[in-house]
Amino acid sequence: MTEALALARSPADPGPDLPAGPAAVPLRGDALPVPACLDRTLRLSLAGDRLRPAPSAGALHPVDTYLLLGTGCGLPPGVYAYDPARHRLHRHGPAPEPAPAGAFAVLGVTARRTVSHYGHRAWPLVLLDAGHAAAALALAGAHTVCLDEDGGLLSAAAGGVPVALAAVQLLPGDHGALARWAAGRDSSVSPPWAQEPPGCLRTALRVLAELTDSGGAQGSWRAVVGQEPDDSVLLTRRSASPGFHGLPSDAVLARILAAAETASPAGPRWCLAVGGPRPGLLTSRPSAPSAPSARDRVAPGGATAHGDLVPPRGRTVTLHRLASGDVLPALAHWGARQGWIARAGAVLLAYGCPAGAPVARVRHDHLAAGYGIGHAQAAATAAGVPSRPVGSWQGADLGAALGGPAGQDWVVHGLALGRSPVDGRATQPTAGRATAGPSTGRATGRTNQGDEPS
């Protein structure tokens, strides 16, 4: 893991493209309509072909969604594979007897799709993509999210998925029902690298398998809190083409930062790199917390490792200066030499995940970074601010750049931001696979994170 993480953060060339394979898992049986109780949630989060509400590096979409539907969901209880391109379900496996109530989504991944283009940099992007998919489901109405559940349990519950990274509770129910879905099912699926050729794909699959095995015996379920965006926001959320600029207002930046911190308080740390007349790094100084409401409490059986309360809805922050100076050129270099980042108005950064971090920390920091950036991008869209996730970072040791110890605070994920349309500087979303920024080539053409995108 340590070697693979160091290589993913290095400037080494990813190498030539590989065949990406099928864009979806094999779908068995008849295509079934999505039941009414889940139609809006899935349509506003994961539905689409290459253009989807949830961003994905290179629009390669490695995340596969399996729905565990219990009683009262509008279809016979069972495991269903979701076809996002057609917004249909396919029967994938049976339900336990008796079937529990409620519905879960298990997020598995087919890493080959991303590895085919990003090589040794791909597996962190796969984790970020899974975090974005979990955020998209949360923003569209899911109840709770778990980013550290035991991968073997998730694999068995979903009917033998080789790599499963996260779970989302879509309808009310007991989190313990996941164990009932997994009971009596074989989780010892064939290692996903057994049939793959050696090289970066084989390594990525071994790393992802190690990451899924790092989950705890009982995952930490966190209630979905924060913004409740309109449907129009979720449908129009897209990664803007590189080239937007102009610094959003402090109030807008504070809302975007608060969205990330509220959604992912137990993940990596957050800051804003800003340009403009006073460039530098900004962090948050939370306002006095209000009393959390009942809906902000984690559902029974879902206490987290960080306590049983989550930040209240409507949390606001006050920005204060962490460091002064023009940071954006350094970010453009760290972001695989994409020059357009230096001309953005600001970049929201998730940072942490030290070199040599435990496997569970690597998994959680990346999933939580994708989850937080997913919420931040929705906040940016609601404010009319063009944005573009940036998922691949090389040599981005932010802590050492600020005079701290080396190898402790690495940039994990970023969201480039521009000025809102009312200021006349926003760009239109791209439609189709966009190229990288002005600095192109093998090292820079496969580094971004975005829906069509990056």
Side-chain angles (χ1 to χ4, degrees):
M1 174 60 63
T2 299
E3 293 177 359
L5 186 59
L7 180 59
R9 289 169 169 171
S10 78
D13 192 296
D17 280 5
L18 304 171
V25 295
L27 298 170
R28 304 184 293 230
D30 296 331
L32 304 171
V34 175
C37 59
L38 297 176
D39 178 78
R40 176 186 175 275
T41 299
L42 293 175
R43 181 168 43 83
L44 296 180
S45 59
L46 303 178
D49 193 359
R50 293 188 72 253
L51 284 177
R52 302 183 194 178
S56 173
L60 294 167
H61 298 290
V63 179
D64 304 311
T65 305
Y66 299 88
L67 302 181
L68 282 51
L69 304 186
T71 56
C73 292
L75 284 175
V79 180
Y80 293 84
Y82 178 58
D83 179 1
R86 296 170 180 80
H87 191 50
R88 289 290 184 268
L89 302 182
H90 291 256
R91 181 87 174 183
H92 186 74
E97 292 288 347
F104 294 88
V106 172
L107 302 180
V109 295
T110 301
R112 186 184 188 101
R113 296 174 204 151
T114 305
V115 174
S116 69
H117 189 55
Y118 292 92
H120 59 258
R121 299 177 186 173
W123 65 264
L125 297 174
V126 168
L127 293 173
L128 297 177
D129 274 13
H132 274 280
L137 288 166
L139 289 162
H143 287 250
T144 57
V145 174
C146 181
L147 303 179
D148 60 354
E149 185 62 84
D150 176 72
L153 183 146
L154 292 180
S155 174
V161 179
V163 179
L165 291 170
V168 180
Q169 184 186 29
L170 302 177
L171 297 174
D174 179 10
H175 300 147
L178 268 181
R180 292 179 56 194
W181 282 94
R185 303 188 184 188
D186 185 11
S187 63
S188 59
V189 297
S190 175
W193 61 84
Q195 294 81 31
E196 298 292 349
C200 60
L201 178 56
R202 183 183 179 95
T203 300
L205 291 170
R206 292 179 69 98
V207 168
L208 287 168
E210 186 176 352
L211 288 163
T212 58
D213 288 343
S214 69
Q218 182 176 2
S220 304
W221 288 87
R222 187 166 290 277
V224 174
V225 297
Q227 59 191 332
E228 295 179 331
D230 295 336
D231 290 8
S232 61
V233 169
L234 300 180
L235 287 172
T236 58
R237 182 174 53 144
R238 292 288 184 271
S239 294
S241 298
F244 51 86
H245 53 96
L247 182 63
S249 69
D250 283 355
V252 168
L253 290 176
R255 289 202 299 271
I256 293 170
L257 176 58
E261 291 184 335
T262 301
S264 192
R269 288 183 286 173
W270 300 90
C271 68
L272 282 159
V274 300
R278 297 185 63 215
L281 287 176
L282 307 179
T283 59
S284 67
R285 180 180 290 117
S287 60
S290 58
S293 65
R295 70 186 300 181
D296 294 326
R297 296 177 180 273
V298 173
T304 76
H306 301 271
D308 64 348
L309 295 179
V310 292
R313 292 180 182 269
R315 177 180 184 269
T316 60
V317 300
T318 301
L319 300 178
H320 74 278
R321 190 162 292 269
L322 175 65
S324 296
D326 194 357
V327 185
L328 296 180
L331 296 181
H333 177 77
W334 288 344
R337 300 185 295 282
Q338 297 180 87
W340 67 270
I341 296 175
R343 296 183 291 277
V347 182
L348 173 66
L349 298 173
Y351 64 99
C353 196
V359 177
R361 172 78 180 273
V362 175
R363 173 186 172 182
H364 189 266
D365 273 8
H366 283 78
L367 288 172
Y371 187 73
I373 292 287
H375 283 261
Q377 190 175 30
T381 302
V385 169
S387 64
R388 186 176 182 86
V390 181
S392 189
W393 296 87
Q394 280 71 61
D397 190 344
L398 183 64
L402 294 175
Q408 295 302 302
D409 286 308
W410 294 84
V411 176
V412 177
H413 201 6
L415 182 69
L417 303 161
R419 188 176 293 167
S420 66
V422 296
D423 294 319
R425 297 293 187 115
T427 59
Q428 294 300 316
T430 54
R433 188 168 184 168
T435 60
S439 178
T440 57
R442 178 172 294 173
T444 60
R446 52 185 70 195
T447 52
N448 299 318
Q449 177 104 2
D451 38 10
E452 315 83 17
S454 311

